[in-house]
Amino acid sequence: MRGQLSSKQSMVFNSKKPVFLKNPHNYIKEEHIQLFNLSSVIFVPIVHDQQVFGWLTFDQLGEEFDYSMDELTLLEQVGKRLGLYLSRKDDEVSIGTDIQLTERESMILYLLAEGYNNKKMAELLQLSEHTVRDYVSSLMTKFKAKNRTQAVVYGFRLGLLK
C-alpha cells in the first residue's frame, strides 16, 4: 500500500497504538479495500523506541467484526515485542577461544556444515578420503566434539561459521 498518505491515512499510520477501523473506506484507498477484501480491520504498529517498523493488519476476509480492549492490548504487546526483535543489532558476539584452525580445516568445517560426506569433500578439495577423514578427526579433537554434527555446532558457536 505505497504512495502518499492523506491526512486521514496519516492519522492511522502514525499511531503508536493499534487502530480498529469498523469501516475503513474513509481511510484506505478503495482499490486496496477491493484487492484485500477488507471490511473491518485492525492495524497494529510494530514499534520500538518511537521507531515504527511497519504494521500488522487483521481482518476477517471481508466480514465485519468487533474487538475487545483485551484483544487490542494483547495485539499492542505483540507489536512492541516484534519491534524489540527487529531493533536488535546483528553485532557479532565474540567468544573467547584459543582454537586456531588451518585454512584446510576451515574449508573442511564449512563443507561439513553444508552436509557433504568425506567422499564428496575429497572430490571437491582434490584430496584422498583418508586425508579428509584425518581433518575431520582433527576438528573433532580441537572442539572436543563427539561427532561431526557437534563439531559443526561448535564451529557456529565459536563464530568460525556463519
Side-chain angles (χ1 to χ4, degrees):
M1 295 172 54
R2 295 180 182 212
Q4 296 292 331
L5 294 178
S6 69
S7 60
K8 288 181 182 179
Q9 290 171 316
S10 182
M11 178 193 79
V12 170
F13 293 114
N14 285 330
S15 173
K16 302 288 191 276
K17 297 212 175 271
V19 175
F20 172 73
L21 298 175
K22 181 80 169 182
N23 181 1
H25 290 275
N26 295 329
Y27 300 94
I28 301 173
K29 292 180 181 177
E30 191 61 37
E31 64 188 85
H32 295 135
I33 291 173
Q34 296 301 318
L35 179 65
F36 297 110
N37 193 23
L38 298 176
S39 59
S40 299
V41 64
I42 298 174
F43 289 96
V44 180
I46 300 172
V47 297
H48 180 70
D49 285 341
Q50 302 303 312
Q51 181 178 1
V52 177
F53 292 94
W55 299 268
L56 295 174
T57 58
F58 294 92
D59 64 81
Q60 295 291 322
L61 300 173
E63 301 287 324
E64 284 192 8
F65 64 93
D66 286 315
Y67 68 94
S68 70
M69 287 309 293
D70 289 340
E71 291 169 330
L72 279 188
T73 302
L74 176 65
L75 291 174
E76 181 178 0
Q77 291 302 313
V78 168
K80 287 180 179 179
R81 297 259 173 125
L82 286 171
L84 178 63
Y85 176 78
L86 292 174
S87 70
R88 295 172 58 195
K89 304 271 189 280
D90 282 340
D91 295 336
E92 290 188 24
V93 177
S94 177
I95 299 174
T97 180
D98 294 334
I99 295 176
Q100 298 293 320
L101 299 182
T102 65
E103 184 178 339
R104 193 64 85 174
E105 287 172 333
S106 294
M107 283 189 239
I108 296 289
L109 181 61
Y110 174 78
L111 293 173
L112 274 175
E114 291 296 314
Y116 290 103
N117 62 26
N118 287 0
K119 183 176 182 175
K120 187 64 176 173
M121 285 190 278
E123 288 175 22
L124 291 170
L125 299 174
Q126 298 179 353
L127 299 170
S128 74
E129 284 185 63
H130 297 289
T131 303
V132 169
R133 183 196 63 210
D134 291 342
Y135 278 117
V136 171
S137 177
S138 173
L139 285 169
M140 290 172 54
T141 300
K142 284 184 177 186
F143 294 145
K144 297 182 177 108
K146 295 175 183 163
N147 54 47
R148 297 160 64 99
T149 303
Q150 206 173 42
V152 171
V153 168
Y154 289 147
F156 278 108
R157 284 186 182 162
L158 296 173
L160 301 170
L161 291 169
K162 294 189 181 216

